[in-house]
């Protein structure tokens, strides 16, 4: 997300589980390409009858959930939407349930990852999706449609329109351009060797990245986000990031053009986190542009990966810099995405520690108060700067915790920071739809004492071949997707059961 918007990392790297990247619940957007209405499949009165028992159960359990995922005291019920997937059409619901069920079969997972790896890296025209029309057609109608926004601007606009018709506040749009270095490639980056031919190649790579990113900003609408990677600008950017030196004048000019275009359109920019060998350089560049463009509101957001041990201290340094220099710090909080390529000792030893770090940081930022795992830097002030937050997670408990905090702030008329929730397209629709349904119900009630959450979907667009690499990274970074798929399957099965109960009655 970019680093992954919302991955829940598996910290037991010896596990032999692998991820079937396309075998998760289809996104609401793909369903709404065929049906634009969000009306429930049967009358509202019947919805209420089926929902009452589950609603009561949900209310009893959300507050206890909040207490288990945070060091904070138990918080009141956040979201009590019992049937978030009711907006899915029946055919899509059945298909989603079948796919997620198949993805739980271990012996199908490894070959699926092998196929994705082959298609993403093949040099044979026979197996290149962009050159093989049959393969292109099959992928375009299935896996590509599940996870990607489109190959052309027209397709992307249609996808965005469908999502917003469904109820999403906006989208996080990125162009598919994946760079994941092996250890040897990272060590081989040498910024000291340069030639006229290489300089021309660097200029071309920056120009292509600038053009694709500007096109992405132009596709976005006011209130949307655009996700971008510094590494997409080519080898010179990789060299400079690895060496933690300033970006080249050509690259800086390209970023200024992107920032100014986004500012004019009312679009915000999420600079993704990447591999540890490049992250310090990415942080330096992100903060450089944030100081320039975040004077009044956050235009530039940095990404913070909660699975990294040093993230609380790193964020604290950035918060102190924002306080001293009086700018808004834009924060995109994710769990992490590079377990497969970074040294293991950089991460928390257990998934529980990662959860505690994520939720502890989220709570501190939402309340604008140093506490728990997020403490001020040594010698720094305890005053919290202005912040904006994108809570990027597939974890329903983290979302509920945040909504509960916001509800408490609303009830007590406390100031609230700018906040958006984000999940990847094609994944975690049970989480996304819960946010959507909560927002819809609360907007209709006009209750000023509750938060109306803003849900976003992260979309990637580009040619089929480019997006295959994106899908492969989804596979490699989400090796615990079997667990998440089981959760999605249960939610889908529960929705199927509710509809069957109606038909039998």
């Amino acid at each position: 997300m970019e680093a992954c918007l919302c991955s829940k990392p598996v910290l037991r790297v010896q596990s032999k589980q692998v991820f079937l990247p396309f075998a998760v619940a289809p996104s609401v957007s793909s369903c709404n390409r065929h049906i634009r209405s969000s009306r429930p499949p049967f009358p509202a009165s019947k919805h209420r009858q089926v929902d009452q028992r589950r609603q009561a159960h949900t209310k009893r359990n959300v507050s206890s959930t909040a207490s288990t995922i945070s060091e904070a005291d138990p918080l009141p019920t956040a979201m009590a939407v019992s049937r978030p997937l009711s907006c899915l059409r029946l055919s899509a619901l059945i298909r989603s349930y079948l796919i997620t069920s198949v993805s739980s079969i271990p012996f199908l997972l490894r070959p699926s990852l092998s196929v994705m790896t082959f298609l993403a890296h093949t040099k044979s025209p026979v197996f290149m999706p962009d050159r093989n029309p049959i393969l292109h057609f099959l992928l375009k109608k299935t896996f590509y449609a599940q996870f990607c926004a489109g190959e052309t601007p027209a397709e992307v606009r249609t996808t965005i329109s469908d999502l917003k018709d469904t109820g999403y506040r906006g989208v996080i749009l990125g162009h598919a351009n994946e760079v994941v270095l092996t250890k040897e490639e990272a060590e081989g980056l040498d910024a000291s060797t340069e030639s006229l031919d290489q300089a021309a190649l660097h200029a071309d790579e920056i120009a292509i990245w600038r053009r694709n990113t500007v096109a992405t900003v132009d596709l976005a609408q006011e209130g949307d986000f655009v996700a971008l990677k510094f590494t997409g600008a080519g080898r010179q950017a990789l060299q400079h990031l690895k060496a933690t030196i300033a970006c080249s004048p050509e690259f800086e000019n390209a970023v200024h053009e992107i920032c100014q275009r986004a500012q004019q359109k009312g679009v915000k920019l999420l600079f993704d986190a990447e591999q540890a060998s490049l992250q310090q350089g990415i942080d330096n560049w992100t903060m450089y542009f944030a100081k320039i463009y975040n004077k009044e509101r956050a235009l530039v957001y940095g990404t913070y990966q909660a699975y990294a041990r040093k993230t609380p201290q790193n964020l604290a340094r950035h918060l102190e810099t924002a306080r001293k220099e009086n700018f808004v710090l834009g924060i995109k909080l994710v769990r992490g995405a590079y377990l497969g390529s970074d040294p293991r000792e950089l991460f928390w030893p257990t998934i529980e520690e990662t959860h505690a770090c994520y939720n502890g940081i989220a709570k501190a930022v939402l309340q604008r108060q140093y506490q728990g795992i997020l403490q001020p830097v040594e010698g720094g002030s305890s005053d919290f700067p202005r912040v904006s937050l994108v809570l990027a997670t597939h974890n329903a408990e983290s979302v509920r915790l945040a909504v509960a905090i916001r509800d408490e702030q609303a009830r007590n008329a406390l100031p609230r920071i700018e906040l958006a929730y984000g999940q990847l397209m094609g994944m975690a629709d049970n989480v996304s739809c819960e946010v959507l349904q909560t927002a819809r119900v609360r907007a209709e009630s006009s209750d000023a004492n509750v938060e109306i959450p803003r849900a976003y979907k992260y979309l990637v667009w580009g040619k089929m071949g480019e997006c295959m690499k994106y899908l492969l990274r989804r596979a490699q970074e989400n090796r615990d997707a079997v667990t998440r798929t089981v959760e999605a399957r249960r939610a889908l099965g529960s929705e199927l059961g509710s509809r069957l109960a109606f038909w039998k009655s």
Side-chain angles (χ1 to χ4, degrees):
M1 128 191 104
E2 17 61 297
C4 174
L5 258 177
C6 8
S7 300
K8 180 165 52 170
V10 168
L11 299 176
R12 295 176 289 276
V13 294
Q14 71 270 21
S15 171
K16 297 184 179 298
Q17 292 178 335
V18 295
F19 170 49
L20 181 61
F22 39 83
V24 296
S27 68
V28 175
S29 62
S30 62
C31 301
N32 280 309
R33 291 173 190 161
H34 306 287
I35 179 168
R36 299 293 290 269
S37 171
S38 61
R39 289 184 300 172
F42 43 85
S45 59
K46 201 66 181 179
H47 270 283
R48 289 192 293 270
Q49 294 172 19
V50 175
D51 285 352
Q52 286 175 348
R53 289 188 298 275
R54 198 179 296 117
Q55 179 109 0
H57 175 78
T58 303
K59 287 182 178 179
R60 287 194 301 271
N61 285 293
V62 172
S63 60
S64 61
T65 296
S67 67
T68 63
I69 62 176
S70 170
E71 296 177 353
D73 292 334
L75 293 166
T77 298
M79 294 186 291
V81 176
S82 58
R83 297 190 53 233
L85 293 170
S86 61
C87 59
L88 292 178
R89 62 182 299 184
L90 180 61
S91 60
L93 183 65
I94 294 173
R95 183 184 63 211
S96 300
Y97 182 77
L98 292 174
I99 291 174
T100 54
S101 297
V102 170
S103 69
S104 301
I105 302 175
F107 74 82
L108 292 178
L109 299 179
R110 188 175 296 278
S112 299
L113 183 59
S114 299
V115 169
M116 291 295 296
T117 302
F118 175 76
L119 292 176
H121 296 290
T122 183
K123 301 299 182 181
S124 170
V126 175
F127 295 105
M128 289 182 179
D130 288 337
R131 296 189 182 184
N132 183 324
I134 297 176
L135 183 59
H136 182 277
F137 176 83
L138 292 174
L139 291 172
K140 184 67 174 287
K141 297 299 183 181
T142 53
F143 312 138
Y144 183 94
Q146 175 76 2
F147 296 101
C148 301
E151 294 188 272
T152 66
E155 291 177 352
V156 175
R157 291 190 186 98
T158 298
T159 301
I160 293 174
S161 177
D162 288 343
L163 282 167
K164 292 188 176 181
D165 286 349
T166 303
Y168 286 94
R169 182 65 175 266
V171 299
I172 302 169
L173 185 63
H175 187 268
N177 193 350
E178 294 295 318
V179 177
V180 179
L181 300 174
T182 65
K183 181 178 179 181
E184 292 74 19
E185 289 171 335
E187 292 174 349
L189 289 174
D190 184 0
S192 64
T193 59
E194 192 70 31
S195 68
L196 291 177
D197 288 343
Q198 287 175 326
L201 176 61
H202 295 333
D204 287 343
E205 289 175 334
I206 292 170
I208 293 170
W209 178 78
R210 178 197 59 79
R211 185 168 61 248
N212 288 335
T213 307
V214 169
T216 305
V217 172
D218 288 341
L219 283 170
Q221 302 169 4
E222 184 176 358
D224 289 342
F225 294 87
V226 164
L228 60 159
K229 296 177 181 295
F230 288 131
T231 58
R235 186 174 179 82
Q236 184 188 65
L238 289 166
Q239 291 170 342
H240 291 181
L241 289 169
K242 180 69 162 51
T244 63
I245 61 177
C247 55
S248 69
E250 295 83 2
F251 181 85
E252 181 173 347
N253 289 337
V255 177
H256 282 307
E257 180 182 348
I258 292 164
C259 288
Q260 290 162 12
R261 184 73 66 92
Q263 204 167 45
Q264 293 167 0
K265 289 204 66 177
V267 171
K268 298 170 185 178
L269 302 174
L270 304 180
F271 288 87
D272 285 330
E274 302 192 51
Q275 291 171 268
S277 60
L278 308 173
Q279 191 56 49
Q280 186 58 59
I282 291 170
D283 286 343
N284 294 345
W285 291 6
T286 302
M287 291 294 284
Y288 173 78
F289 291 107
K291 292 175 187 178
I292 297 171
Y293 291 101
N294 288 12
K295 292 300 183 183
E296 300 300 327
R297 298 185 64 185
L299 174 77
V300 172
Y301 287 67
T303 300
Y304 299 85
Q305 302 184 99
Y307 71 172
R309 290 172 177 264
K310 69 177 184 178
T311 291
Q313 294 76 26
N314 188 45
L315 176 56
R317 286 193 297 271
H318 292 179
L319 288 166
E320 179 64 10
T321 300
R323 184 195 66 81
K324 285 182 176 179
E325 303 196 26
N326 193 28
F327 66 90
V328 183
L329 186 66
I331 301 167
K332 184 182 79 172
L333 185 61
V334 303
R335 276 178 166 77
Y338 292 92
L339 277 169
S341 57
D342 280 343
R344 178 65 185 83
E345 62 270 16
L346 298 178
F347 311 126
W348 296 108
T350 65
I351 187 67
E352 290 76 19
E353 288 170 289
T354 295
H355 291 332
C357 181
Y358 188 97
N359 292 316
I361 289 175
K363 183 174 185 286
V365 172
L366 287 167
Q367 296 180 339
R368 291 189 62 210
Q369 180 181 352
Y370 287 106
Q371 56 186 295
I373 198 166
L374 186 62
Q375 295 295 323
V377 297
E378 185 175 354
S381 172
S382 60
D383 293 338
F384 216 87
R386 294 173 293 158
V387 290
S388 293
L389 176 63
V390 173
L391 202 68
T393 178
H394 286 173
N395 188 300
E397 294 175 344
S398 294
V399 173
R400 290 168 184 156
L401 173 64
V403 174
I405 291 172
R406 300 281 281 191
D407 285 348
E408 184 178 39
Q409 291 172 333
R411 283 192 301 272
N412 295 313
L414 297 173
R416 285 172 282 174
I417 68 170
E418 188 174 35
L419 172 66
Y421 301 90
Q423 289 84 40
L424 292 163
M425 179 176 175
M427 298 184 184
D429 283 325
N430 53 317
V431 177
S432 298
C433 290
E434 184 172 335
V435 177
L436 288 182
Q437 299 269 31
T438 299
R440 183 178 296 118
V441 169
R442 292 181 172 192
E444 292 172 353
S445 71
S446 301
D447 185 354
N449 293 321
V450 293
E451 165 81 354
I452 299 178
R454 302 188 306 157
Y456 288 73
K457 270 293 187 183
Y458 183 105
L459 317 176
V460 164
W461 76 286
K463 293 182 179 179
M464 182 76 69
E466 295 172 323
C467 290
M468 291 303 298
K469 294 179 181 178
Y470 164 80
L471 292 174
L472 176 60
R473 191 163 70 83
R474 293 272 77 80
Q476 293 172 333
E477 73 191 17
N478 289 292
R479 294 181 185 272
D480 68 328
V482 171
T483 299
R484 192 163 57 243
T485 299
V486 168
E487 295 171 357
R489 185 189 66 196
R490 288 173 179 167
L492 292 162
S494 178
E495 175 61 25
L496 275 173
S498 295
R499 299 191 191 186
L500 288 172
F502 165 73
W503 291 325
K504 290 179 179 179
S505 63

